[in-house]
């Protein structure tokens, strides 16, 4: 103490090492265990006259060494040492000793009893010191200790070298302090301390894997429980953070992003720790994080779907909007905050994908109506891949592509239910539409029929939606609808036949009968086009149904065409009866009547659609020429001279040209009929046999259904009775008739001569039969050389008496 002596400070005024004067009248440690009072006789009095009775040693306060600056107290006899239990305050204040949750609970109770008195005393002392500082003025500069000791004029000695301070030991945090860090969302720091605490627990248990609480002694069991409780609290905060950040950025977007970064840091720390723990003790926080993301996604989707209007379709639209909103936030805000090695965007995408799969699976297990099934299948197959996954870089996913939302069996079941419901609903709906439409067929009200439009709308509702879901489902739906359409058309055909077979329909409805028939014919083209389209889309098994539908429509069309043609030719029949007579050669009156009537009726037929109209006009064209040629081949007119043959041939050509102009005006496509009458005219007018043979050959080539009886009747009209010439000409027809090409019968719409029946060919009477009965002058007449065949007498008619 020489320096203090030079300064004039007595030794008695310096407190003894290891003691602290207590200036307060109240002993702050009077309630603290381990605190004792020295005997008065031993301590004596201080130089200022105060008693040293209330003096405590640092050795008595186990663990108060941190309050002394730069030195460590020595142990005295009786102080707590190794192997001796420390007091509560010693455990709380000794460095390197972690305070447990039980110690902090006791400390909180102790501090609570005296908090009020300490606050009052501290406030009074602060006010008193502030008043004294104001009266004393600024504090003057005092000379340093070295300036006082060194005399004037001498050089001051060099300061001693600084001794480096020893590194301070990092003080471990208590369980409550770690819990406080977790609650303050300092998750990475809290996890570090939890890992330290877990390491201590492992060390105390012999370095093995952490066992259940209570497996070791009391201290090890408490630490194990503390570690487990801290991990539970940490995970609660982590998964709550996952939910909160998915809900939206909110006002503290930056803080939320920082918390997400800490979450990612915790996952990396725990993944590294799992490598040290071993497979059996790994906590697998990364997998639990993925599960928490899935739970949060499920909550988000379930919250979005129930309030959406519009049934299941509206709920699916709400799910789509929520998915796009959340995945946009993940891409732009959350995924960049995570460490790159975690693949955060893929984890969130898989979580939402799995949550959506659960939602759709639950919806598919319910009994859904047909529109909801369509909406679910379309959203699953088209909307989600295109509008949600289409915006996601699936190549960036770690584990490849995402799995299906619904299993193939579930999808097949939904499609089967759709097909079954469509088959039942369309069958009933089509029959109802047909019944309602049939009720108007017999009414006098002339209203257009909407049967074809209604049928197409009913079926196209399904045939257009199904291919947008998948190609296979579109094929199945097309096959189903085509089968229903074929059944409907067969019923339609039967009802049309009953309508035309009704005996009183034509008489009761003469004005509307033609209009009704035309409207029935007009149902054919759209329904035929629908059947063809469904057959193209459907599988190969759809061909029988297409053929059945086409056959039913063909029967309806032919029946209606025949009805219309019969009505028209009933009106034209008087004009056809005037053909091939003497008056016909001199006057065009008969043909003018035919052309005028056909032209007038064509105006009503123009209401028919193009396809059936073209077929009807072609039929009218064919039938008109058949009716025109029929009286000619039946021998109504005979040519006895070359002049008569020339007049008849000329008249035939003129009529053929007039009929050709008429049917061109009616837009007939049956141009193959234009040459039949000119060919007949040439056969009648030609004189030499070879030319007639050539023309007959052309007739047989262009009209394969012509037979030798037609050629023989034409030769009879021409007046050719030379047996040799007739045989040469008929041989041409026979040869072509027996050839491979001529043996094939033409289709129905190309038949012409097969609809013309001619009388049987005449036969020549033998001379011995008539020599005794007829005079020779009669036999000399060439027109009696051949007579018609004798017909047997009818049993109901008696022979005529001469």
């Amino acid at each position: 103490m020489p320096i203090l002596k030079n300064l004039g400070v007595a030794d008695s005024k310096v407190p003894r090492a290891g003691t602290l004067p207590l200036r307060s009248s109240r002993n702050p440690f009077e309630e603290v265990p381990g605190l004792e009072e020295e005997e008065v006789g031993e301590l004596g009095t201080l130089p200022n006259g105060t008693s040293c009775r209330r003096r405590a040693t640092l050795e008595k306060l186990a663990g108060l060494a941190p309050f002394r600056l730069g030195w460590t107290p020595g142990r005295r006899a009786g102080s707590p040492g190794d192997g001796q239990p420390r007091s509560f305050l010693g455990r709380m204040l000794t460095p390197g000793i972690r305070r447990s949750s039980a110690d902090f609970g006791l400390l909180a109770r102790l501090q609570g009893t005296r908090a009020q008195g300490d606050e009052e005393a501290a406030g009074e002392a602060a006010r008193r010191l502030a008043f004294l500082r104001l009266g004393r003025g600024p504090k003057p500069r005092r000379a340093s200790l070295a300036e006082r000791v060194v005399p004037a004029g001498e050089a001051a000695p060099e300061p001693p070298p600084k001794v480096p301070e020893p590194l301070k030991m990092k003080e471990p945090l208590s369980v409550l302090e770690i819990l406080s860090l977790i609650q303050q969302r300092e998750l990475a720091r809290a996890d570090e301390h939890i890992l330290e605490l877990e390491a201590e627990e492992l060390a105390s248990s012999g370095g093995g894997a952490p066992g259940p609480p209570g497996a070791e002694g009391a201290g090890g069991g408490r630490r194990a429980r503390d570690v487990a409780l801290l991990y539970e609290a940490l995970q609660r905060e982590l998964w709550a953070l996952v939910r909160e950040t998915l809900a939206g950025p909110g006002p503290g977007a930056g803080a939320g992003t920082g918390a997400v970064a800490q979450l990612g840091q915790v996952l990396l720390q725990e993944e590294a720790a799992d490598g040290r723990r071993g497979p059996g003790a790994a906590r697998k926080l990364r997998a639990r994080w993925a599960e928490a993301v899935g739970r949060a996604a499920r909550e988000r989707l379930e919250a979005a779907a129930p309030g959406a209007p519009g049934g299941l379709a509206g709920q699916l639209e709400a799910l789509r909007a929520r998915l796009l909103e959340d995945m946009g936030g993940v891409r732009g805000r959350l995924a960049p905050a995570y460490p790159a090695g975690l693949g955060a965007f893929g984890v969130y995408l898989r979580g939402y994908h799995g949550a959506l799969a659960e939602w759709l699976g639950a919806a598919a297990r319910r009994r859904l109506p047909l529109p909801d099934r369509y909406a679910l299948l379309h959203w699953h197959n088209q909307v989600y891949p295109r509008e949600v996954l289409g915006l996601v870089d699936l190549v960036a996913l770690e584990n490849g592509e995402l799995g299906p939302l619904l299993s193939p069996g579930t999808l097949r079941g939904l499609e089967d239910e759709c097909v079954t419901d469509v088959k039942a609903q369309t069958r009933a709906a089509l029959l109802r539409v047909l019944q309602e439409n049939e009720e108007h067929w017999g009414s006098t009200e002339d209203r257009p029929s909407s049967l074809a439009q209604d049928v197409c709308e009913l079926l196209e509702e399904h045939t257009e939606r199904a291919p947008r879901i998948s190609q296979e489902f579109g094929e199945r739906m097309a096959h189903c609808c085509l089968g229903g359409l074929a059944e409907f058309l067969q019923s339609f055909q039967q009802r049309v036949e009953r309508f035309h077979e009704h005996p009183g329909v034509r008489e009761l409805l003469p004005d509307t009968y033609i209009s009704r028939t035309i409207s029935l014919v007009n149902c054919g083209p759209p329904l035929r086009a629908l059947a063809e389209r469904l057959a193209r889309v459907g599988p190969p098994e759809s061909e029988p149904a297409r053929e059945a539908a086409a056959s039913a429509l063909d029967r309806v069309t032919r029946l209606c065409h025949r009805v219309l043609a019969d009505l028209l030719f009933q009106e034209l029949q008087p004009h056809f009866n005037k053909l091939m007579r003497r008056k016909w050669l001199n006057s065009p009156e008969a043909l003018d009547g035919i052309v005028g009537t056909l032209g007038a009726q064509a105006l009503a037929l123009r209401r028919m659609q193009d396809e059936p109209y073209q077929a009807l006009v072609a039929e009218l064209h064919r039938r008109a020429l058949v009716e025109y040629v029929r009286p000619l081949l039946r021998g109504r007119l005979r040519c006895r001279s070359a002049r008569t043959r020339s007049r008849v041939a000329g008249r035939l050509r003129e009529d053929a040209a007039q009929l050709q102009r008429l049917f061109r005006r009616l837009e007939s496509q049956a141009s193959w009929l234009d040459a039949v009458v000119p060919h007949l005219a040439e056969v009648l007018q030609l004189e030499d046999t070879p030319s007639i043979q050539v023309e007959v050959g052309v007739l047989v080539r262009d009209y394969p259904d012509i037979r030798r009886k037609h050629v023989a009747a034409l030769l009879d009209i021409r007046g050719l009775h030379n047996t040799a010439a007739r045989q040469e000409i008929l041989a041409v027809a026979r040869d072509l008739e027996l050839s491979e090409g001529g043996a094939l019968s033409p289709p129905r719409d190309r038949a012409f001569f097969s609809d013309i029946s001619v009388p049987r060919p005449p036969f020549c009477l033998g001379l011995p039969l008539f020599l005794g009965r007829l005079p020779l002058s009669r036999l000399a007449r060439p027109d009696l050389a051949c007579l018609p065949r004798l017909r047997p007498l009818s049993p109901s008619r008696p022979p005529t008496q001469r």
Side-chain angles (χ1 to χ4, degrees):
M1 305 288 292
I3 299 176
L4 296 178
K5 289 180 180 180
N6 293 337
L7 294 176
V9 180
D11 293 345
S12 60
K13 296 181 180 181
V14 180
R16 215 162 25 122
T19 64
L20 288 176
L22 303 179
R23 298 181 181 274
S24 174
S25 60
R26 180 188 176 192
N27 187 359
F29 303 103
E30 59 187 356
E31 299 175 4
V32 180
L35 197 62
E36 301 177 359
E37 293 185 355
E38 294 285 348
E39 295 295 334
V40 179
E42 292 181 3
L43 297 177
T45 59
L46 293 176
N48 57 3
T50 60
S51 175
C52 294
R53 182 172 175 271
R54 295 175 180 267
R55 177 176 299 174
T57 62
L58 292 177
E59 286 81 357
K60 292 288 186 177
L61 297 175
L64 278 183
F67 296 100
R68 300 179 63 189
L69 304 177
W71 58 278
T72 303
R75 284 202 187 104
R76 52 179 296 192
S79 62
D82 296 338
Q84 299 180 8
R86 295 181 181 270
S87 65
F88 160 73
L89 191 57
R91 289 195 305 271
M92 295 298 295
L93 300 179
T94 302
I97 301 300
R98 186 183 301 276
R99 277 78 70 192
S100 67
S101 55
D103 295 338
F104 268 87
L106 180 57
L107 179 60
R109 289 195 298 273
L110 288 175
Q111 291 176 348
T113 57
R114 57 179 74 159
Q116 184 176 1
D118 293 344
E119 290 178 359
E120 294 177 357
E124 181 66 24
R127 286 193 298 271
R128 191 174 300 169
L129 288 176
F131 175 74
L132 291 177
R133 289 193 190 97
L134 289 175
R136 189 171 55 198
K139 183 178 181 181
R141 180 183 179 276
R142 299 174 61 182
S144 65
L145 184 62
E147 291 175 352
R148 293 180 183 181
V149 174
V150 179
E154 295 183 7
E158 295 182 0
K162 293 183 178 180
V163 179
E165 297 181 358
L167 294 176
K168 296 182 179 180
M169 183 183 299
K170 183 179 179 182
E171 184 177 356
L173 299 183
S174 68
V175 175
L176 293 179
E177 289 171 327
I178 297 174
L179 181 61
S180 177
L181 290 178
I182 294 174
Q183 294 172 351
Q184 296 171 9
R185 292 282 173 89
E186 297 185 20
L187 304 176
R189 185 181 169 195
D191 185 61
E192 292 176 359
H193 288 285
I194 296 174
L195 291 175
E196 292 176 1
L197 184 59
E198 185 182 23
E200 294 177 7
E201 195 271 335
L202 287 173
S204 65
S205 62
E216 298 295 333
R222 178 179 295 175
R223 276 192 293 267
R225 287 195 303 270
D226 290 343
V227 170
L229 293 173
L230 287 174
Y231 266 116
E232 290 179 5
L234 178 64
Q235 291 184 56
R236 281 196 300 269
E237 288 297 323
L238 291 176
W239 312 152
L241 180 62
V242 170
R243 292 192 302 270
E244 294 169 7
T245 52
L246 271 180
T257 305
V260 170
Q262 290 200 47
L263 190 156
Q265 186 64 29
V266 169
L267 296 177
L268 292 181
Q269 293 173 180
E270 288 294 328
E271 191 172 17
D274 283 344
R276 297 190 298 270
R277 294 183 183 116
R283 298 192 181 274
K284 301 179 181 179
L285 248 63
R286 187 168 179 178
R288 297 183 182 181
W289 167 56
E291 295 173 0
V293 170
R295 289 193 300 270
R298 189 181 309 112
E299 294 174 1
R300 293 280 295 167
L301 295 181
E302 290 176 355
L312 185 61
Q315 294 178 8
L316 292 172
E317 179 61 24
L319 289 179
R320 184 192 68 84
R322 177 58 57 87
L323 281 168
L324 293 178
E325 175 188 356
D326 289 1
M327 294 311 299
V330 170
R331 179 190 291 274
R333 180 170 48 87
L334 298 182
Y338 281 97
L342 292 177
F345 184 76
V347 171
Y348 276 86
L349 179 60
R350 293 183 189 279
Y352 272 90
H353 185 81
L356 184 61
E358 293 181 8
W359 195 95
L360 293 181
R365 286 188 292 271
R366 299 196 301 267
R367 179 61 183 174
L368 298 174
L370 182 60
D372 287 352
R373 285 199 212 98
Y374 274 132
L376 180 59
L377 288 171
H378 180 259
W379 199 91
H380 175 275
N381 288 13
Q382 299 297 328
V383 176
Y384 181 68
R386 182 180 64 249
E387 300 186 14
V388 178
L389 296 184
L391 306 178
V392 176
D393 186 11
L394 294 179
V395 181
L397 295 179
E398 295 180 357
N399 299 327
E401 297 182 356
L402 298 171
L405 289 175
L406 296 175
S407 64
T410 303
L411 291 175
R412 183 74 177 188
L414 288 174
E415 292 177 358
D416 291 342
E417 292 175 359
C418 286
V419 171
T420 303
D421 288 355
V422 167
K423 183 180 296 184
Q425 292 182 13
T426 54
R427 179 180 299 172
L430 291 174
L431 291 179
R432 183 175 62 254
V433 168
L434 180 58
Q435 183 66 31
E436 294 174 356
N437 196 271
E438 186 183 12
E439 293 176 357
H440 299 284
W441 293 355
S443 65
T444 57
E445 181 182 2
D446 189 8
R447 50 178 290 181
S449 175
S450 61
L451 177 63
Q453 181 180 357
D454 295 341
V455 171
C456 291
E457 289 178 356
L458 282 173
L459 296 180
E460 287 174 352
E461 178 185 359
H462 307 287
T463 58
E464 291 180 358
R465 296 185 67 176
R468 292 198 294 264
I469 294 173
S470 68
Q471 181 180 359
E472 181 184 0
F473 184 48
E475 292 178 358
R476 295 183 62 196
M477 187 60 66
H479 180 64
C480 168
C481 292
L482 182 57
L485 179 62
E487 294 180 5
F488 164 79
L489 291 178
Q490 290 173 0
S491 300
F492 176 63
Q493 172 201 341
Q494 295 172 2
R495 295 175 188 243
V496 170
E497 291 174 352
R498 286 201 303 266
F499 170 72
H500 287 298
E501 291 172 359
H502 196 278
V505 171
R506 301 185 185 184
E507 290 76 8
L508 294 176
L509 305 171
D511 298 332
T512 60
Y513 182 71
I514 294 178
S515 298
R516 193 75 65 211
T517 305
I518 292 176
S519 66
L520 293 176
V521 173
N522 287 338
C523 294
L527 296 178
R528 189 185 301 273
L530 177 61
E532 295 291 339
R533 185 167 64 253
L534 294 179
R536 287 194 301 269
V537 175
E541 296 81 13
S542 303
E543 185 61 24
R546 186 201 66 80
E547 293 177 355
S551 176
L553 287 175
D554 290 341
R555 291 191 183 97
V556 171
T557 302
R558 285 198 298 268
L559 174 61
C560 294
H561 283 176
R562 187 175 72 249
V563 168
L564 293 175
D566 289 343
L567 292 176
L568 179 58
F569 279 93
Q570 285 180 6
E571 187 176 354
L572 291 174
Q573 193 59 43
H575 301 286
F576 283 111
N577 291 335
K578 299 177 181 179
L579 296 176
M580 308 305 165
R581 300 183 182 277
R582 298 290 180 180
K583 188 177 182 181
W584 165 74
L585 283 175
N586 301 321
S587 173
E589 177 184 355
L591 190 65
D592 290 344
I594 295 172
V595 172
T597 303
L598 283 174
Q601 293 294 334
L603 297 177
L605 299 178
R606 289 300 305 171
R607 291 181 295 171
M608 196 176 296
Q609 293 193 16
D610 289 339
E611 182 181 353
Y613 173 77
Q614 295 293 339
L616 178 58
V617 169
E619 176 62 20
L620 293 178
H621 192 177
R622 186 193 70 85
R623 191 164 173 177
L625 289 178
V626 166
E627 296 297 330
Y628 182 85
V629 174
R630 188 192 306 275
L632 176 65
L633 295 183
R634 290 185 68 87
R636 185 178 296 179
L637 183 66
R638 299 278 181 169
C639 299
R640 300 178 182 276
S641 61
R643 180 173 176 275
T644 304
R645 291 195 298 270
S646 178
R647 290 183 59 194
V648 170
R651 189 64 186 170
L652 289 174
R653 294 189 185 96
E654 292 178 3
D655 291 350
Q658 191 173 356
L659 290 173
Q660 183 178 355
R661 288 192 297 270
L662 169 66
F663 285 105
R664 283 183 179 177
R665 190 170 66 251
L666 298 181
E667 302 177 2
S668 171
Q669 303 296 325
S671 58
W672 61 279
L673 294 169
D674 294 338
V676 59
V677 175
H679 282 317
L680 297 177
E682 289 295 327
V683 172
L684 292 178
Q685 189 174 6
L686 291 175
E687 296 295 337
D688 56 316
T689 301
S691 299
I692 297 175
Q693 287 179 316
V694 171
E695 200 64 33
V696 169
V698 172
L699 266 175
V700 175
R701 183 196 63 192
D702 294 344
Y703 304 95
D705 60 336
I706 193 171
R707 295 294 178 260
R708 283 179 294 173
K709 60 182 180 180
H710 298 106
V711 178
L714 190 58
L715 295 179
D716 291 339
I717 296 168
R718 189 183 185 281
L720 181 61
H721 302 291
N722 188 338
T723 304
R726 288 174 66 91
Q727 292 299 326
E728 292 177 3
I729 296 172
L730 293 175
V732 175
R734 183 182 64 253
D735 294 341
L736 294 176
E737 192 176 308
L738 297 178
S739 64
E740 183 178 0
L744 298 177
S745 59
R748 182 71 184 85
D749 56 348
R750 300 282 296 191
F752 185 84
F753 287 98
S754 59
D755 288 348
I756 302 175
S757 60
V758 296
R760 294 182 179 182
F763 66 97
C764 297
L765 295 175
L767 290 179
L769 181 63
F770 287 92
L771 284 178
R773 298 183 182 181
L774 294 176
L776 294 177
S777 60
R778 297 287 302 274
L779 293 175
R781 297 179 55 183
D783 56 337
L784 293 180
C786 294
L787 298 177
R789 290 183 181 270
L790 297 178
R791 297 181 180 179
L793 295 176
S794 174
S796 60
R797 293 179 60 187
T800 304
Q801 298 293 332
R802 292 188 178 182

